[in-house]
Amino acid sequence: MNFGLFSITTAVAGVALLAIGLWILQRLRVQHREIEVLSTLFWKSAIEETRARVFVRRFRHWWAWCLLVAIASILWALLGQPQTASFDKTQHVILIDWSVDDQQVRGRDLDVALQLAAELPEGRREIIAVGMHLETLLHQQEPLELAKLRSVPRPVPAPLGMDWAIESISTRAGTKTPITIHIVGDAPVDKWRLSALQSKFDNSQSPVLKIFRVERATSQPPVALATFGVSDAASGDWNRVDIWFAFADPEQVLADTVGVVLDNRPLHHPLVARDHGILEIQGVAANGGLLEIVHNDLPVGALTLPDRKLIRVHIDDDVPETLRQLIQLDTACTLVTNANNAEVVIGSTPDSNFRLTSEDQPAFHIQTENENAEDALADLVDELALRQIDATGLATDSGRVVDVQVASGETRSLALWGNLFTSSFDFVESRACPIVVGRAVRWLANRPPLVEWVELGRKLPVASPEFQRVADQLATTNDGRQLRTTRLSAPVGRTATLADSTENLSFSGFNLFTLLGFFVAFLLIGEWMLFQKGHLP
Amino acid sequence: MNDEFQLLNPDFLEQARALRIVARRVAPAGRWAEHRSRDRGQGIEFRDYRPYSPGDDLRSVDWNIYRRLGRVVVRLFEEMEDLPIYIMPDLSYSMWKEAHPRAVVAMQVAIGLSAIGLDQHDRVGVFPFGDELDTSVRPTSGRGRLTLLADALTRIGMVAQRRRSGTDLAASVARLRGLGLREGLVVVISDFFDPQGARKILSELKRSRHRPLLVAISRPEDREPTLRGDVRVRDCETGAVQDVSINESVLMKYRKAYDEHFDLLRSFVRQRQGGWLQIDSEQNVMEQLATLFDGGRFVA
């Protein structure tokens, strides 16, 4: 209850009540009989005033009563934290990037927004979350607490981003109304789009559209990864992978400050330095663990490793021994006896997806689930390493044309001459043989080579398109693996540089609360001095 | 001048002249009188030898020593000089307020001490004070000057009685110090109800070179007030008011404050080997004043 909530009549009535109450209280004060003494020196030391129950005393000076009424009224008014009206009519909109799928980041951004909102005029500020659409968390005139109640955790992507939000809000406000947009956090704003937008506004006298950034304290590590990836192990072990990464500024990073943590336990594999500042960790077990890179004990990037299971292969009895041995030697494969339980069945029956055919059939027949099989032929030849085969030699030995046919189908399969694995041809003696067999088995089992990586300034090929604008993103790859990264990509060249909000707040009206506080303190000191001198009550 | 306050009572003066103020040793550069001085000179009582230097009186050369030791020395004798007495009676309003004014008692004590001083050829100055020091009466000596002092004091007293001045003993002592008077005995005769408190008074007295004699004019009611109940006490000099509900507990604190105030003054006087006398203004002044003089002598 204060002046701000009452009508003028009620406020005046309240002051009158205070005045009457103080007058009545004053009449209850002690009444003393006055005696002149030689000195009050010793009485001052001995003073112990007790209240006398006297009802008939009045103020000795009428202005003393007025002073007390003034003090009480101002104290009452101070409860409302009054402020003078501001001539500045600028609307303030605080934007929070709501696409971040991290409750901690969201909560922190909302706190920052609320802190800023508390400093803004209540009638001219609002908080809007930018997600799939603009969601107003706090309307004008609303108490700040409502914003927290409305911030229901709903992870949504922000396909149109902060640029779209700024355009929408400024369009809604019109080109004449002064509007200031405060962006919480470091969501990028396209400087070209921003420049184009501002040109639409009437900035002839003073800028109508202002955009600031509210820098928030962040736990972002001081260094960032520029590259982070995982690939097949150079050793050829199927159940191991190689990790490689590079810092954005390798010269600032000392080797002994970098650590690797696998499933929350330090990984003691040596870091192998490569060209261009790339560091490599070789032979990490591909068991689906979470591998983190830390710098000075702060995580700078994380990667969920693939969980590589062995390819189950069934080999029929009529398969040449050479091929059988090749499969047995491949660390990616495990032989199963039940063909129904196998991912790859090698044999000459039509049920086999690695089918051995006679020489009257095409040398290589590839069936792919790709509907445009002819278009995929070149890629398939590369993926299956068929270019490494000495096709001329095979043609000479067989006296037939060695051709590669491709067809579309529901499942993958590969048919090739069974005699290639016999002494009829010297294919088994060639270096291409184990490669072709290995690639074929992996392709049939749908185990593509691992080359998953992210690089500064580029999008992750398999990640969400929003990857560039969010931090601590979990990007999902095609086969379900998650690649978690730090802020790796920042399109620096196009990001607008925005001034800091907190350094550009000149909107608020004069703080009458402080002024009145000083004034009432002054009055209280005056009252105390008057009381000491005996002029009060 | 008509003796308004009857300061020159013959019986009173006769009793006073039987008393003596004896200085342990007075400051040099005084006039010839009865007190031993720190000066060496041509007195009667031998004090010391010193080597002869050109210009010395040949009559003071000790020829016996010259004959025996072959060295020329002169004999030094104690000088006998006067003791300057500066008397400061308090004539502020609190000293006049009662039916039997304490100021009159203070003036009687001042005249009594002046009579003693003048009688033994000492130089006496009377400096009445209230909220400031009155220096209109110049220090004087000679028995015949007592009447002049009494007249001057009566005239000043009559003015002070009407003026209702406050008390600023500290400033008055500071002013006396500023006069640059020869080191002597300063006698303060007052109720010592200075609103600035005893510590302020003492801070100024401690800076003074004079030996102090403090004479407190008091009444038993000063320490044992008869006031009871809810009282607004108003200081008769400053007009400051203090609301106080007087009960036994408050009275105990009052007495404690009173005792502390005068204990501080007494303690200071002891440290400076001065004198302290408390006089009840309702009782015979001369009888009480005589208690200060042990065996008829007060050693200052």
Side-chain angles (χ1 to χ4, degrees):
Chain A
M1 285 201 310
N2 53 64
F3 287 162
L5 299 176
F6 288 154
S7 66
I8 294 293
T9 313
T10 314
V12 171
V15 173
L17 278 174
L18 280 174
I20 294 168
L22 281 168
W23 182 78
I24 291 172
L25 285 173
Q26 196 58 39
R27 289 176 68 89
L28 290 172
R29 288 177 70 102
V30 66
Q31 184 185 28
H32 296 92
R33 61 194 162 95
E34 190 166 307
I35 294 174
E36 195 172 59
V37 295
L38 298 185
S39 173
T40 55
L41 181 62
F42 311 120
W43 289 116
K44 280 182 179 170
S45 302
I47 181 169
E48 184 178 288
E49 189 173 354
T50 56
R51 294 199 175 280
R53 277 61 57 190
V54 179
F55 284 85
V56 290
R57 179 165 177 79
R58 294 169 184 271
F59 287 95
R60 282 187 289 139
H61 306 285
W62 64 270
W63 48 260
W65 173 74
C66 292
L67 175 65
L68 293 180
V69 170
I71 291 171
S73 302
I74 294 171
L75 285 173
W76 182 29
L78 280 178
L79 291 177
Q81 300 190 352
Q83 278 195 337
T84 55
S86 172
F87 294 108
D88 181 12
K89 302 300 178 192
T90 304
Q91 297 293 320
H92 295 269
V93 180
I94 304 169
L95 296 182
I96 306 176
D97 183 2
W98 217 234
S99 65
V100 181
D101 186 19
D102 187 324
Q103 290 310 308
Q104 197 175 357
V105 175
R106 280 186 171 199
R108 185 182 58 193
D109 285 353
L110 183 59
D111 289 341
V112 171
L114 288 173
Q115 281 178 12
L116 177 62
E119 297 178 28
L120 295 166
E122 204 170 62
R124 289 183 282 114
R125 55 99 176 100
E126 57 185 327
I127 300 176
I128 294 177
V130 182
M132 277 293 285
H133 54 272
L134 298 182
E135 185 176 344
T136 303
L137 299 181
L138 187 71
H139 293 278
Q140 296 175 356
Q141 301 286 6
E142 285 185 338
L144 298 176
E145 291 73 17
L146 279 178
K148 289 219 168 188
L149 294 176
R150 289 185 181 131
S151 61
V152 183
R154 280 176 295 180
V156 290
L160 297 176
M162 204 56 81
D163 304 319
W164 164 74
I166 293 170
E167 285 169 359
S168 302
I169 290 164
S170 54
T171 305
R172 183 190 68 179
T175 56
K176 299 288 184 185
T177 308
I179 183 167
T180 299
I181 296 174
H182 307 267
I183 299 169
V184 175
D186 45 9
V189 176
D190 190 307
K191 65 180 177 185
W192 296 333
R193 289 175 71 175
L194 181 61
S195 176
L197 180 64
Q198 284 181 321
S199 65
K200 295 178 188 173
F201 282 78
D202 180 9
N203 293 327
S204 53
Q205 293 182 340
S206 62
V208 175
L209 173 64
K210 296 178 188 171
I211 301 179
F212 298 123
R213 188 184 298 284
V214 186
E215 297 295 344
R216 49 171 159 69
T218 174
S219 58
Q220 188 74 11
V223 297
L225 286 180
T227 306
F228 195 11
V230 55
S231 66
D232 292 323
S235 63
D237 288 344
W238 171 253
N239 54 355
R240 292 194 177 273
V241 291
D242 291 346
I243 308 294
W244 39 273
F245 59 92
F247 288 95
D249 190 355
E251 294 180 357
Q252 285 191 347
V253 181
L254 300 173
D256 56 355
T257 60
V258 180
V260 183
V261 177
L262 180 60
D263 287 336
N264 298 320
R265 281 180 296 188
L267 186 69
H268 297 294
H269 283 49
L271 291 175
V272 181
R274 302 292 185 197
D275 292 341
H276 309 296
I278 292 175
L279 298 169
E280 187 175 10
I281 314 165
Q282 296 178 334
V284 179
N287 55 3
L290 179 69
L291 183 133
E292 292 177 282
I293 306 298
V294 295
H295 175 256
N296 286 333
D297 297 328
L298 289 173
V300 293
L303 185 73
T304 304
L305 298 175
D307 187 5
R308 289 196 129 172
K309 293 182 171 56
L310 294 175
I311 302 170
R312 299 183 302 278
V313 181
H314 173 78
I315 303 175
D316 286 346
D317 295 336
D318 56 349
V319 171
E321 186 60 24
T322 307
L323 179 56
R324 181 185 297 273
Q325 288 178 357
L326 279 173
I327 295 300
Q328 285 176 334
L329 289 172
D330 192 337
T331 57
C333 298
T334 180
L335 294 176
V336 295
T337 53
N338 187 354
N340 294 326
N341 193 31
E343 295 171 88
V344 177
V345 178
I346 304 175
S348 53
T349 62
D351 296 335
S352 307
N353 52 5
F354 193 124
R355 194 168 62 252
L356 304 177
T357 59
S358 59
E359 292 179 30
D360 56 348
Q361 300 292 319
F364 298 96
H365 179 85
I366 306 168
Q367 180 176 299
T368 173
E369 64 270 50
N370 194 327
E371 292 177 356
N372 300 316
E374 293 295 334
D375 295 339
L377 177 60
D379 292 338
L380 287 170
V381 168
D382 286 339
E383 190 170 348
L384 295 173
L386 298 183
R387 291 188 199 281
Q388 298 188 31
I389 297 175
D390 181 11
T392 307
L394 290 181
T396 305
D397 292 343
S398 63
R400 293 198 56 189
V401 176
V402 176
D403 59 344
V404 179
Q405 291 185 1
V406 64
S408 297
E410 292 183 355
T411 58
R412 293 181 180 185
S413 67
L414 172 65
L416 70 169
W417 292 341
N419 284 339
L420 287 175
F421 300 100
T422 63
S423 56
S424 306
F425 294 91
D426 57 0
F427 175 65
V428 291
E429 305 294 334
S430 70
R431 289 184 299 176
C433 179
I435 297 173
V436 169
V437 171
R439 290 282 184 90
V441 170
R442 284 161 179 74
W443 180 75
L444 289 170
N446 197 10
R447 305 287 170 82
L450 272 178
V451 189
E452 300 296 351
W453 56 279
V454 283
E455 186 176 358
L456 183 66
R458 296 188 184 180
K459 292 180 180 180
L460 187 69
V462 291
S464 142
E466 288 310 299
F467 176 71
Q468 284 198 28
R469 62 177 87 252
V470 296
D472 303 330
Q473 176 81 15
L474 280 169
T476 305
T477 59
N478 284 340
D479 59 351
R481 284 179 291 112
Q482 287 188 324
L483 186 61
R484 198 172 76 173
T485 72
T486 53
R487 193 186 316 280
L488 295 180
S489 60
V492 178
R494 287 189 59 190
T495 303
T497 303
L498 302 177
D500 191 348
S501 269
T502 54
E503 296 174 0
N504 291 276
L505 291 180
S506 56
F507 49 82
S508 57
F510 185 75
N511 193 345
L512 200 58
F513 179 81
T514 308
L515 181 68
L516 281 176
F518 280 119
F519 184 59
V520 78
F522 173 75
L523 290 180
L524 285 168
I525 291 170
E527 187 205 15
W528 180 79
M529 292 175 69
L530 289 171
F531 181 77
Q532 292 296 311
K533 290 185 176 179
H535 298 308
L536 274 176
Chain B
M1 175 176 275
N2 178 30
D3 192 357
E4 175 80 15
F5 305 117
Q6 298 180 348
L7 301 180
L8 296 175
N9 184 310
D11 295 337
F12 179 84
L13 295 177
E14 189 59 33
Q15 292 177 56
R17 281 175 176 146
L19 304 173
R20 281 286 176 270
I21 297 174
V22 181
R24 289 181 176 84
R25 200 168 288 279
V26 298
R31 297 167 56 252
W32 182 90
E34 301 178 359
H35 304 284
R36 293 197 299 180
S37 168
R38 291 200 287 269
D39 259 349
R40 306 282 184 272
Q42 306 300 321
I44 297 168
E45 196 168 333
F46 170 77
R47 184 65 185 268
D48 204 355
Y49 290 106
R50 72 166 168 78
Y52 172 84
S53 58
D56 283 342
D57 189 349
L58 288 176
R59 289 173 295 181
S60 63
V61 173
D62 190 331
W63 298 108
N64 290 329
I65 290 182
Y66 175 74
R67 196 166 45 248
R68 280 189 289 165
L69 303 176
R71 291 171 54 193
V72 182
V73 295
V74 294
R75 285 171 293 188
L76 296 176
F77 297 89
E78 278 193 336
E79 284 283 15
M80 302 299 283
E81 294 177 349
D82 67 331
L83 170 68
I85 302 174
Y86 311 113
I87 303 173
M88 296 175 61
D90 180 0
L91 300 183
S92 64
Y93 180 61
S94 63
M95 299 286 285
W96 294 100
K97 188 175 179 304
E98 293 158 311
H100 188 211
R102 302 182 194 209
V104 174
V105 176
M107 287 190 289
Q108 288 173 347
V109 172
I111 289 300
L113 291 173
S114 299
I116 297 169
L118 292 173
D119 197 48
Q120 56 189 27
H121 308 291
D122 289 332
R123 194 173 183 81
V124 176
V126 177
F127 301 96
F129 74 94
D131 46 15
E132 60 183 0
L133 191 72
D134 187 329
T135 57
S136 61
V137 184
R138 299 179 65 80
T140 185
S141 60
R143 290 179 179 174
R145 302 302 177 105
L146 185 63
T147 309
L148 290 176
L149 279 181
D151 287 348
L153 200 52
T154 302
R155 186 180 68 251
I156 293 168
M158 289 169 71
V159 174
Q161 193 176 15
R162 293 191 298 272
R163 187 163 162 256
R164 301 178 63 139
S165 73
T167 304
D168 194 343
L169 178 52
S172 300
V173 171
R175 177 80 199 287
L176 181 75
R177 195 179 68 243
L179 294 177
L181 298 170
R182 183 169 156 248
E183 185 182 331
L185 174 69
V186 63
V187 184
V188 181
I189 311 164
S190 171
D191 55 10
F192 293 101
F193 291 160
D194 188 325
Q196 299 176 95
R199 294 184 193 282
K200 179 68 177 170
I201 299 171
L202 294 180
S203 72
E204 290 299 337
L205 282 172
K206 283 174 181 171
R207 295 166 70 183
S208 171
R209 294 175 300 138
H210 307 299
R211 196 176 296 276
L213 167 59
L214 305 186
V215 182
I217 311 296
S218 64
R219 292 285 310 280
E221 293 81 10
D222 290 348
R223 189 176 184 276
E224 300 290 347
T226 55
L227 299 175
R228 292 294 183 275
D230 297 317
V231 176
R232 168 167 291 144
V233 290
R234 177 182 292 280
D235 193 300
C236 70
E237 291 181 0
T238 65
V241 296
Q242 181 67 60
D243 291 339
V244 56
S245 296
I246 303 174
N247 52 32
E248 195 51 42
S249 164
V250 175
L251 279 175
M252 282 178 61
K253 290 178 183 170
Y254 176 93
R255 288 186 209 109
K256 185 174 173 228
Y258 181 93
D259 291 343
E260 282 177 357
H261 179 80
F262 285 98
D263 284 347
L264 277 172
L265 295 173
R266 275 190 287 265
S267 170
F268 164 73
V269 168
R270 268 198 304 275
Q271 287 173 6
R272 296 289 288 264
Q273 296 182 307
W276 170 262
L277 179 65
Q278 192 149 7
I279 289 180
D280 185 342
S281 61
E282 296 290 339
Q283 305 297 322
N284 184 292
V285 175
M286 195 59 230
E287 286 180 6
Q288 296 180 83
L289 184 59
T291 60
L292 183 67
F293 294 83
D294 185 17
R297 287 157 45 100
F298 168 67
V299 179

